[in-house]
Amino acid sequence: MATGKIRVALVGNPNSGKTSLFNQLTGLNQKVGNFPGVTVDKKIGSCTLPDGRQLEILDLPGSYSIYAKSKDEQVVTDILTNPEDADYPDILVVIADASNLKRNLLLLSQVADLGLPVVLALNMMDLAERMGKKIDANILEQEFGVPVVAINARKGEGINDLKTILAQPVTARQRPFLDVTELAGPKYGKLINQGPEPQYLRLHQLLSSGEISAGEARSIQTRDTTLRYGKINKIVARAEKPTQRKGLKLYTDKIDAILTHRLWGYLIFIFIMFLIFQAIFSWASWPM
Ligand SMILES: Nc1nc2c(ncn2[C@@H]2O[C@H](COP(=O)(O)OP(=O)(O)OP(=O)(O)O)[C@@H](O)[C@H]2O)c(=O)[nH]1
Ligand SMILES: [Mg+2]
């Protein structure tokens, strides 16, 4: 914390609304887009809390898991698994797309186990509602042991509630979401328990330093992800309550309804095949 400001990093799956939230908090105008990978590097801005204190906000690329598979994800993993990193945050805000909760909660469970104080911002609640899903934030709060706030990062709703949470001390989870010794097995269990760091942070430091063999690393990753999803599925089954879909259908539903219609579906298919046939056998001869 070289600047003396509280450093808050925004993390979450690609396209979950991190940059939209960054723009709401900082008043800046970073590029947002309705496809993953819009942010490929970190961006920094600042935000003033109601009590006048300043937060430094770090917008990070999208990440599905702490086990990075792309360069963008590696940026996030490198920062979050290295407390010595200049960008290591004091608090993490995980932005989850509420319409696709399970996949988004995997990252939450992982970063919470790294020992960082975490706040969960449930974004895209409007979309979840339109899909007929109502989310019980209390269940998520209890199960993940983190404060949860519903926001709409596009419209700027819930931003003051988030600032209120950030103005209070946020503490890290005491007990990990997943027991890592169970994960690493007896061979690495001892190494993981060395030192004062949380076991999951230690595990990731051993993985990135190459002290765990590549084959063993793959099997740890598979077990980790499977066990976490097992727990997350049960939580989401309780937290996600089906409701009436709002009259408004998603545009993809509308397209599906036409393309799979008994009559129109076949006619559209035949028409497209006809166009392809024409393109190959008739129109292609014009430029020749
Ligand atoms: N319906 C709805 N759309 C939202 C909401 N928040 C953000 N969006 C839209 O979601 C899209 C993605 O938003 P971004 O802020 O670029 O998402 P990101 O997480 O920064 O994406 P990457 O940088 O690619 O990982 C944009 O089109 C936003 O306008 C919300 O609460 N509801
Ligand atoms: Mg972004």
Side-chain angles (χ1 to χ4, degrees):
M1 244 205 312
T3 55
K5 290 179 186 173
I6 303 168
R7 198 189 288 265
V8 178
L10 310 182
V11 295
N13 285 185
N15 222 17
S16 60
K18 297 173 294 299
T19 304
S20 305
L21 176 60
F22 176 85
N23 289 343
Q24 294 287 350
L25 288 171
T26 61
L28 296 175
N29 196 13
Q30 289 293 337
K31 196 171 168 201
V32 297
N34 194 14
F35 44 88
V38 176
T39 309
V40 290
D41 201 1
K42 54 198 182 201
K43 304 272 180 330
I44 295 176
S46 64
C47 160
T48 311
L49 289 174
D51 60 14
R53 277 181 300 151
Q54 290 274 309
L55 301 177
E56 189 174 280
I57 312 286
L58 182 66
D59 181 24
L60 290 171
S63 193
Y64 289 110
S65 161
I66 204 75
Y67 295 95
K69 283 211 169 73
S70 66
K71 275 190 186 163
D72 303 353
E73 289 187 323
Q74 197 63 52
V75 170
V76 180
T77 300
D78 286 349
I79 293 175
L80 301 188
T81 58
N82 180 12
E84 304 301 315
D85 193 292
D87 289 320
Y88 190 72
D90 300 301
I91 306 177
L92 268 186
V93 175
V94 174
I95 296 101
D97 173 354
S99 69
N100 197 344
L101 204 50
K102 281 180 197 166
R103 204 182 59 190
N104 283 256
L105 292 179
L106 176 71
L107 185 70
L108 170 72
S109 85
Q110 293 175 330
V111 298
D113 283 356
L114 290 174
L116 279 156
V118 174
V119 176
L120 171 62
L122 274 182
N123 196 29
M124 315 254 181
M125 292 291 268
D126 55 327
L127 220 60
E129 237 173 272
R130 283 163 67 184
M131 291 166 75
K133 296 175 184 176
K134 192 172 183 318
I135 289 148
D136 187 335
N138 287 329
I139 294 181
L140 298 179
E141 207 159 278
Q142 284 158 17
E143 294 289 344
F144 288 95
V146 301
V148 180
V149 57
I151 62 165
N152 183 322
R154 185 189 264 174
K155 290 189 184 161
E157 292 165 5
I159 305 301
N160 285 337
D161 298 337
L162 174 61
K163 284 189 189 174
T164 306
I165 291 176
L166 293 173
Q168 290 153 14
V170 184
T171 50
R173 266 184 80 100
Q174 292 304 306
R175 212 167 44 83
F177 182 80
L178 193 75
D179 183 358
V180 184
T181 32
E182 183 187 339
L183 247 188
K187 192 168 167 196
Y188 298 109
K190 221 171 163 190
L191 282 174
I192 284 167
N193 282 318
Q194 274 172 6
E197 299 100 341
Q199 292 176 328
Y200 199 57
L201 177 61
R202 184 88 186 109
L203 172 71
H204 280 281
Q205 289 172 339
L206 292 173
L207 287 167
S208 60
S209 67
E211 280 171 79
I212 296 180
S213 70
E216 191 61 36
R218 268 196 301 279
S219 95
I220 288 176
Q221 177 182 349
T222 308
R223 283 204 300 277
D224 187 1
T225 311
T226 312
L227 290 171
R228 280 176 194 278
Y229 268 131
K231 292 186 85 171
I232 289 167
N233 284 343
K234 285 187 195 145
I235 296 170
V236 171
R238 287 176 48 228
E240 211 175 73
K241 313 249 155 66
T243 55
Q244 282 275 309
R245 270 189 173 220
K246 292 230 165 136
L248 200 68
K249 277 195 169 181
L250 293 175
Y251 72 95
T252 48
D253 290 340
K254 289 182 189 166
I255 296 172
D256 281 353
I258 298 169
L259 292 180
T260 56
H261 188 270
R262 272 188 208 176
L263 175 66
W264 299 118
Y266 285 114
L267 289 178
I268 291 170
F269 174 72
I270 291 165
F271 180 65
I272 291 172
M273 293 311 284
F274 170 76
L275 285 184
I276 293 172
F277 186 84
Q278 286 291 314
I280 296 171
F281 293 101
S282 306
W283 306 337
S285 60
W286 292 344
M288 295 189 190

